[in-house]
Amino acid sequence: MVKIMTSLIQTLSQIVGDAFVAEGLDAAMGAVRVSDRPDLAQFQCNGAMMAAKAAKKNPRAVADAISARLSANPIFAKIEIAGPGFINLVLTDAYLSGFAEGLKGDDRFGAVPYATGKTMVLDYGGPNVAKAMHIGHLRPCIIGDCLRRMAIFAGYKAIGDVHLGDWGTPMGMILSELEINHPEWPYFDANFTGPYPAEPPVTMADLEVIYPRAANACKDDPARMDAARQATVELQDGRPGYRALWKHFVDVSIAGVKRNYDLLGVHFDLWKGEADSHPYIAPMVDDLRKRGIAIEDNGAVIVPVKTDDDQKEIPPLILYKRDGAVMYGTTDLATIVERVKDFNPDKIVYVVDQRQSLHFEQVFRAARIGAIVRDDVELTHAGFGTMNGADGKPFKTRAGGVMRLEDMIGMARDAVVEQMKSANVAQDMDDAAKDKVALQVAVAAIKFADLQNQRQSDYIFDLNRFTSFEGKTGPYLQYQAVRIKSLLKKAADQGFEPADTITVNDEGRALILLMAEWPETVEMALRNYTPHVLCDFVYRMANAYSSFYGNYHILSESDAGLRSSRLALSALTFKHIELALNMLGIDVPERM
Ligand code: ARG
């Protein structure tokens, strides 16, 4: 029977909590965590002080009593009281060996799925139709896809939605521009009864030229802007020729979007867009108006969201502009209606630029005021900072333009090819294999460089640093993982097998204790939507393995028992690093 592992921290908290209960105190005070002072202890419990206060006892005396009870338990090698009543704990190596034994048979490393039966919708795409994807689309998809992977691991039914920007004024700008240039197209003939040609004569490359031209024309000429607005309203109202052309813009744009996401190994479950919320808008607004939540204001329809407690000004959410067009906030609110109907989610998480925080504040408030979601549904804007250039301003191409995502990935791949040469990595491979590894490493470099930052911080785009095989980088971690993998393979080739048991002692203690931190680490990373916590974890593990590897012989060890135990620890570490990297969206190459 496979033993179901629970986290070591949980097990210890249970044991210490029981001791608190036996002293007539609150079990929750027995919570154990990893020690702040690894030089003094492995774990600590800080609850004696609080428990003593509640029970009007001396904290030191409470800690002593708990410690006396715990000392009857053979799992502890050392129990010490420090300061006013901190309980410091050290486990016996024998106990840690048993724990390591359990990890060998547990692909989840003690992390129990806690969200089974719950649903999380994640919104981390947002590329806009008719525009090439640019580096601004990088952060949401890297962070969001990582959160999606963590959510699945936690047990959620996770739904990643690309939520294309396919419904705003830009669509009307393109339509009216085309109408001026090609009035003879059947799409612009209001009396045309169809069918339309299968392939409208507009390619993605055309759109990339047409859109900026149309946008400029609208900026300079109010009449053009009016025409674009009019076309937007008619598109949204369902004018057939506009809809047919628009559908084509969406299709050709999606092809490019998919190519980018495929290169990055980013997955979406749903390929919906703002337009999909359209059928929900009118009934939603009607309902909100009936209930007095949406009101008319100067010809527009708005939801006031400011409360008396607000210190700052929070403008109302606009549902319909005076010309009847819907806004970004309208589609986001109606998309909540749609998501509730389709998935009944427990959480909806938006991985979107920090600079849109006011927008989400307005939408979330309107959703709460309008009871569009159950009270217990979490709505979170997991905002992120900007990727800047060396000048500290949002990253631009050398010519000062916005860099295409594909070009950026290509640059990273070129940089990796250079780094592989100078680090003498993968040089024995044929070109096809080398290419494959170069892309895997480039994607790892980009993703890790992004994810390792605090989500809200800005960071500086520095390909040289990101792609280095040294330091806290994706390539370094992949390299460490591959090195363990090839060590295990070499061992197998020589007939050396990993031991069945892992005997924990000075050699492996640090690694096993680190593994014990996994369940709480991965849970915290998801709870706060902070992938950097996972990055720190895997980096620490790679370093811990690196010192283990530097300090002890493995293949060249003549003592068969030591060798096989070290191999077993290596295999376990590999399995763990691979799990953590995969959660970051990083592949471990077959070899390097
Ligand atoms: N398309 C939007 C933009 O370019 C991002 C969409 C983010 N997601 C959302 N549900 N609003 O700014």
Side-chain angles (χ1 to χ4, degrees):
M1 200 182 85
V2 183
K3 201 168 94 201
I4 305 270
M5 294 275 301
T6 51
S7 99
L8 183 57
I9 300 276
Q10 291 272 319
T11 307
L12 296 176
S13 298
Q14 178 76 46
I15 292 169
V16 179
D18 286 349
F20 273 78
V21 171
E23 287 298 315
L25 302 165
D26 183 359
M29 297 293 132
V32 168
R33 53 188 179 117
V34 174
S35 171
D36 301 333
R37 291 283 308 269
D39 52 325
L40 297 181
Q42 294 166 349
F43 301 94
Q44 66 186 61
C45 168
N46 300 349
M49 281 82 78
M50 254 233 257
K53 197 168 174 199
K56 301 200 167 51
K57 287 185 176 161
N58 175 304
R60 210 46 216 206
V62 168
D64 275 332
I66 300 294
S67 151
R69 288 195 181 269
L70 294 179
S71 52
N73 192 326
I75 71 169
F76 297 110
K78 200 164 88 182
I79 303 165
E80 267 174 3
I81 318 279
F86 296 103
I87 305 170
N88 284 336
L89 303 167
V90 175
L91 296 168
T92 65
D93 283 342
Y95 183 76
L96 287 176
S97 299
F99 171 70
E101 190 69 31
L103 292 182
K104 279 190 62 192
D106 178 10
D107 289 341
R108 303 181 53 90
F109 286 85
V112 180
Y114 57 87
T116 313
K118 299 218 155 127
T119 300
M120 187 188 294
V121 172
L122 295 127
D123 182 319
Y124 51 87
N128 297 316
V129 161
K131 294 191 221 170
M133 283 185 81
H134 57 78
I135 49 143
H137 298 115
L138 190 67
R139 297 212 69 191
C141 77
I142 291 180
I143 299 168
D145 191 51
C146 170
L147 298 177
R148 182 186 64 82
R149 291 163 189 261
M150 288 199 267
I152 292 171
F153 186 73
Y156 283 99
K157 176 172 175 213
I159 296 155
D161 184 359
V162 73
H163 199 72
L164 295 172
D166 58 0
W167 209 227
T169 326
M171 300 298 111
M173 290 177 176
I174 297 170
L175 287 170
S176 56
E177 170 86 13
L178 284 172
E179 188 158 8
I180 290 169
N181 294 323
H182 309 280
E184 74 288 359
W185 284 6
Y187 303 95
F188 300 122
D189 177 352
N191 301 317
F192 187 71
T193 50
Y196 296 102
E199 262 306 272
V202 188
T203 64
M204 185 63 206
D206 296 336
L207 287 173
E208 283 179 31
V209 179
I210 295 168
Y211 174 64
R213 197 171 64 209
N216 274 329
C218 290
K219 208 163 61 202
D220 297 339
D221 181 353
R224 290 288 298 266
M225 191 65 212
D226 280 347
R229 288 216 183 90
Q230 182 58 27
T232 308
V233 174
E234 286 182 37
L235 167 73
Q236 294 179 348
D237 285 347
R239 183 169 155 170
Y242 283 3
R243 283 284 177 115
L245 266 180
W246 166 83
K247 174 77 173 56
H248 177 72
F249 305 159
V250 173
D251 290 345
V252 294
S253 302
I254 284 184
V257 166
K258 283 204 165 136
R259 206 171 52 238
N260 278 282
Y261 287 137
D262 282 350
L263 273 175
L264 289 170
V266 164
H267 170 83
F268 288 97
D269 304 285
L270 269 190
W271 284 82
K272 294 210 160 193
E274 293 169 8
D276 289 282
S277 72
H278 186 71
Y280 298 88
I281 292 177
M284 172 185 82
V285 177
D286 271 358
D287 173 57
L288 291 175
R289 290 183 77 147
K290 262 192 218 122
R291 291 188 285 132
I293 288 162
I295 54 172
E296 199 147 331
D297 181 66
N298 253 320
V301 180
I302 63 167
V303 178
V305 296
K306 187 177 177 322
T307 69
D308 293 341
D309 298 339
D310 286 320
Q311 307 294 322
K312 55 177 179 180
E313 193 49 48
I314 304 213
L317 184 78
I318 302 174
L319 296 177
Y320 284 122
K321 283 193 293 185
R322 277 168 62 180
D323 64 6
V326 302
M327 307 273 285
Y328 184 41
T330 324
T331 55
D332 260 328
L333 194 63
T335 301
I336 299 182
V337 176
E338 180 187 5
R339 287 172 176 164
V340 167
K341 177 181 146 279
D342 288 352
F343 306 110
N344 189 23
D346 299 279
K347 298 185 189 225
I348 308 178
V349 182
Y350 299 79
V351 186
V352 180
D353 195 314
Q354 190 90 294
R355 289 169 291 191
Q356 294 194 20
S357 63
L358 177 61
H359 165 78
F360 285 105
E361 179 78 49
Q362 293 170 306
V363 170
F364 294 171
R365 284 183 183 216
R368 298 271 176 228
I369 300 169
I372 283 174
V373 285
R374 294 192 322 265
D375 280 347
D376 62 339
V377 172
E378 179 192 303
L379 299 172
T380 297
H381 172 208
F384 51 80
T386 311
M387 186 169 83
N388 288 326
D391 58 359
K393 301 209 186 83
F395 184 71
K396 292 260 160 38
T397 60
R398 253 179 228 176
V402 182
M403 182 171 281
R404 283 168 170 263
L405 193 50
E406 266 170 309
D407 291 346
M408 192 273 220
I409 299 169
M411 273 168 61
R413 195 170 7 193
D414 293 347
V416 163
V417 169
E418 287 310 309
Q419 299 270 12
M420 289 194 340
K421 260 189 223 145
S422 59
N424 197 23
V425 168
Q427 294 308 299
D428 60 330
M429 296 182 175
D430 63 39
D431 284 350
K434 226 190 268 176
D435 275 357
K436 184 173 170 209
V437 172
L439 180 61
Q440 283 177 314
V441 175
V443 169
I446 295 170
K447 285 185 174 175
F448 194 84
D450 191 294
L451 294 171
Q452 73 160 120
N453 301 287
Q454 301 259 9
R455 175 167 46 77
Q456 273 110 326
S457 317
D458 300 343
Y459 69 95
I460 302 230
F461 180 77
D462 179 352
L463 264 191
N464 242 333
R465 192 165 61 81
F466 297 175
T467 56
S468 168
F469 283 93
E470 277 158 38
K472 195 175 175 185
T473 69
Y476 166 76
L477 293 166
Q478 282 176 316
Y479 188 70
Q480 292 299 322
V482 170
R483 190 161 72 155
I484 309 177
K485 198 196 256 188
S486 61
L487 170 86
L488 294 167
K489 184 164 178 305
K490 264 189 215 144
D493 290 347
Q494 296 178 38
F496 300 158
E497 290 300 324
D500 287 336
T501 54
I502 294 176
T503 313
V504 175
N505 51 34
D506 288 348
E507 295 185 13
R509 202 181 293 117
L511 274 165
I512 296 297
L513 285 171
L514 196 51
M515 290 176 192
E517 292 184 31
W518 168 254
E520 284 70 26
T521 303
V522 68
E523 183 175 341
M524 177 162 81
L526 181 61
R527 189 183 338 116
N528 301 327
Y529 310 109
T530 46
H532 77 273
V533 169
L534 219 57
C535 293
D536 289 341
F537 179 87
V538 62
Y539 181 63
R540 281 167 69 205
M541 185 165 284
N543 283 340
Y545 184 81
S546 199
S547 24
F548 166 77
Y549 184 85
N551 287 335
Y552 302 101
H553 297 287
I554 302 181
L555 292 183
S556 59
E557 173 59 56
S558 51
D559 181 318
L562 280 179
R563 185 179 57 226
S564 62
S565 172
R566 288 172 190 162
L567 281 173
L569 185 60
S570 302
L572 191 62
T573 307
F574 174 77
K575 188 173 82 159
H576 206 156
I577 291 183
E578 187 178 47
L579 173 67
L581 285 180
N582 285 345
M583 213 160 283
L584 296 171
I586 294 178
D587 288 341
V588 176
E590 211 34 61
R591 59 186 202 92
M592 271 167 104

